[in-house]
Every structure is written in C-alpha cells, then in structure tokens.
Amino acid sequence: MTIAVKQNLVSSSKHDIKCPYTMSAEYITFHNTYNDATAEGEVSYMVGNNNEVSFHFAVDDKQVVQGIPVNRNAWHAGDSKFGDGNRKSIGVEVCYSKSGGAKYKKAEALAIKFIAQLLHERGWGVDRVKTHKHWTEVGLKKGYSSYVKNCPHRVLDEGRWNEVIKAIEKELKALKGEKESENKPTSPVKPVSKPKLDKDVYGTVKVLVANLNVREKADFTSKVVQVAKKGASFKAYAQKNGLYHLGGKKYVTANTKYVKFTKNPNYGKESKAKVLTVLVSELYTYKTANWDDKGKIVKKNDVYTIVKELTVAGAKMYQIKSGLYITANPKYVKVSTK
C-alpha cells in the first residue's frame, strides 16, 4: 500500500530562504528531530519561520508531512551550499526522537517504509540512504562543514544504523516483489588463532561481540556475506571508510566497541634485499628463464641483487636485478643479505 503524503509546502515567497536551488535528488538523508513534536508541528514551524533550516518530509507515528518540494534543495545536512547533502539529498525527519518510546518506534517504522517507497519510485538501492552525520563528516574533510553532527542521534547512539538500513532494504525488496533470502557466503573468512604476519599485513582483528557482520564492500550498507563469532581473529590488510579489509570481498567494522585491532609492527617495512656472490672464476648467465639461452659470463666475486627465485626444468635459478638469470646452485653462488 502506497503511503500517502500530506502537504504543507513552504510559500514560494520563502524559496530564497528555505530552498533556493533546483535539485535533481541523488540521495535520501535520514534524520532524528531531537524533539517530541508531531510531523505536522515540525513542518508547520519550519515553513512558518525565516530560518535557513529546512527539510522535505517529517514522519511521526501516524503520517508523513511534506514541507519542501523534492525538486528543490533544503538546508538539512550541515554541508553548506557546496555539499551533496544539502544540494542533492531528500531530507526525512523522524519525529519523537528526544524521548523515544513507543511513539518513536512507530514513527521510525513508518519512516523506514516511506524511505523504501521513495527508493522504489526512483529505482534506487539502499546505498542512496545516508545519515546527516555522513554529510558533515564528508564536508569537514572537504572544508565546507565546521562540525560533525551526531544525527540521527537515537539510531546512532543505540548502534542501530545497520539494522535500519537492513529494514529499509527488506521493505524495498517487498515493494519489488522479491523474497528475502539468506546471505550465505561461498568462501567464508577463515579465522586464525596465531596469524603469521608478513609485511603486507596491516594487523590483526579480534571479534569482541557474539556476532559481527562481515560485509562485501568497505561500506556499512553493503551486503553481509558472513557473521563472525566472538573470539575469532583475522588478518587485516587495510582500513577504509571505518572498516578493516580482511582480504577479498570481506570487511568488518573498525569500531573498538566490536573489535580489537593489533597493528603489525612489520607492516610496510621493506625486507632486506638478498644478493648473490659468484664463487667460481667464470659463470654463465641466461637471457631468459631457459638453461639453453646463455647470456654473458660473470666473474668470481661479482655481486648481484636477487629479484626472485624460480625452478626451471627441475633446477633452481635466480632472476637478478639486471633482468638476467643465473644458477642458484650453492656450488657456484653464495646468497646473503645486504
């Protein structure tokens, strides 16, 4: 059933204050109002004052009320006239968030259904749904926000943002006529009790909670591919967007409430280069990794940097920095480190 929207649109005479720019929306921003007014009260106050603060929709436990046309911007995301939050996103305020309780839960549930409806109408996925906090974090980095806003405060303080996104996704699938299916990973992350850390491993991540979502991308809204159990440890190869990369398409949160990270002291350090010294008076090199493709002759005590070791026709040879190849037989060469 389509959710009806009651309109109380701001007067066109106030467009220069409340919504001065035309907009072709690309995102939806989820807010908590941080007070206990109804949706009608929120919108009535917003359209009636002369403050440069505005939003498109307010949702309470009973209805959705619109105050700004969706083809115009609104001042709700804290990222100035330059940010995508204010200029490219539809602002949805969820009412009763100050006190919470049953009314807020009903308002949030209706907002979830309404946001799914907006996504469905536009052919968008849940990756288009952002928090107010997201826009201020981006704006702060780019220089057009001066603070980070903890909004939607109730959802974020309760650690439920991922839960909200999953609920929106579920509603969106229902609108599309899709059935819910379990995310069953085809290649699970393998925890390691004592991981051996090479220099390319950023560190280890230990799970502190009973269940931890492992995601497909470095994005908290991406698909959950596995649930890791408390006490499991994993190698982490990088950190991006607040998540650790476990290799392949597997990421977990970097939030210290949920994981303990231990950095690898050897991460990024260059290994000492290996070199070989010629032990015999004369020794052939090879132009390619082929024992028949002889190259120049090198002399005793000549020293060369080893690039890699390989096996050719059952015998080991080294590729040296010049691009030539030479036997790895310890009768003819001695290997050491610089």
Side-chain angles (χ1 to χ4, degrees):
M1 180 186 295
T2 301
I3 298 170
V5 176
K6 181 177 180 179
Q7 291 190 329
N8 179 14
L9 298 179
V10 67
S11 168
S12 59
S13 65
K14 288 190 176 182
H15 277 193
D16 62 331
I17 299 171
K18 296 292 184 179
C19 50
Y21 300 101
T22 58
M23 181 178 77
S24 177
E26 296 180 13
Y27 305 97
I28 296 170
T29 302
F30 191 109
H31 297 270
N32 283 163
T33 59
Y34 207 77
N35 61 56
D36 292 329
T38 63
E40 202 162 10
E42 292 285 357
V43 173
S44 180
Y45 177 75
M46 184 270 290
V47 300
N49 65 45
N50 291 318
N51 301 327
E52 289 186 334
V53 177
S54 52
F55 50 87
H56 296 89
F57 299 97
V59 185
D60 63 19
D61 58 330
K62 296 177 180 177
Q63 64 179 339
V64 179
V65 181
Q66 183 178 7
I68 300 291
V70 293
N71 64 352
R72 300 198 70 83
N73 85 298
W75 303 121
H76 60 95
D79 58 353
S80 78
K81 67 180 181 180
F82 302 107
D84 287 349
N86 280 335
R87 294 297 298 273
K88 294 184 180 181
S89 82
I90 298 168
V92 179
E93 294 278 356
V94 184
C95 300
Y96 304 133
S97 68
K98 184 177 181 180
S99 298
K103 275 190 171 182
Y104 174 76
K105 288 180 181 179
K106 288 181 180 179
E108 184 180 286
L110 182 56
I112 285 169
K113 289 179 179 293
F114 178 61
I115 289 171
Q117 179 175 300
L118 293 175
L119 294 173
H120 185 56
E121 290 170 349
R122 290 159 176 77
W124 294 348
V126 291
D127 59 311
R128 301 291 189 116
V129 183
K130 307 295 182 182
T131 63
H132 183 173
K133 183 179 182 181
H134 166 81
W135 297 121
T136 55
E137 287 176 331
V138 172
L140 191 64
K141 290 178 181 177
K142 294 187 175 181
Y144 43 73
S145 291
S146 58
Y147 65 98
V148 172
K149 180 76 169 180
N150 186 43
C151 178
H153 72 97
R154 181 162 292 279
V155 174
L156 296 177
D157 289 348
E158 294 173 358
R160 295 189 300 104
W161 179 241
N162 288 342
E163 179 184 316
V164 167
I165 287 295
K166 286 176 73 174
I168 294 171
E169 186 174 33
K170 183 177 180 179
E171 293 294 337
L172 181 58
K173 285 183 176 180
L175 290 172
K176 292 178 178 179
E178 298 177 7
K179 292 182 179 180
E180 284 292 296
S181 60
E182 293 182 5
N183 290 318
K184 296 182 179 179
T186 54
S187 53
V189 181
K190 295 180 180 179
V192 285
S193 55
K194 293 182 180 179
K196 183 180 178 182
L197 303 181
D198 298 323
K199 63 183 177 64
D200 62 331
V201 178
Y202 185 42
T204 57
V205 176
K206 184 176 182 179
V207 180
L208 302 179
V209 293
N211 296 291
L212 184 71
N213 289 334
V214 180
R215 298 189 175 276
E216 184 179 41
K217 300 177 182 177
D219 185 335
F220 285 103
T221 65
S222 68
K223 184 172 73 174
V224 176
V225 296
Q226 186 186 352
V227 177
K229 299 299 181 181
K230 185 175 182 179
S233 293
F234 306 97
K235 293 179 182 180
Y237 294 91
Q239 183 177 353
K240 183 180 179 182
N241 298 336
L243 295 101
Y244 291 119
H245 183 206
L246 307 184
K249 294 183 178 180
K250 299 179 180 70
Y251 297 81
V252 295
T253 179
N255 191 320
T256 54
K257 291 181 181 178
Y258 308 111
V259 297
K260 179 182 179 182
F261 175 72
T262 304
K263 188 171 182 180
N264 176 15
N266 296 318
Y267 177 68
K269 290 184 178 179
E270 289 296 326
S271 300
K272 289 184 178 180
K274 287 186 177 181
V275 296
L276 64 85
T277 303
V278 178
L279 299 179
V280 293
S281 57
E282 292 186 340
L283 186 65
Y284 274 111
T285 61
Y286 303 88
K287 297 175 185 177
T288 62
N290 184 330
W291 295 112
D292 296 321
D293 191 13
K294 290 183 178 179
K296 71 175 185 177
I297 294 174
V298 294
K299 303 293 185 179
K300 186 175 182 177
N301 295 326
D302 284 353
V303 178
Y304 300 96
T305 300
I306 297 170
V307 174
K308 65 179 179 180
E309 180 182 312
L310 58 160
T311 301
V312 178
K316 292 186 182 298
M317 67 165 47
Y318 296 121
Q319 182 183 16
I320 56 179
K321 200 169 184 179
S322 65
L324 296 173
Y325 296 80
I326 197 168
T327 180
N329 191 321
K331 291 182 179 179
Y332 304 109
V333 295
K334 178 184 177 181
V335 176
S336 59
T337 56
K338 283 185 178 180

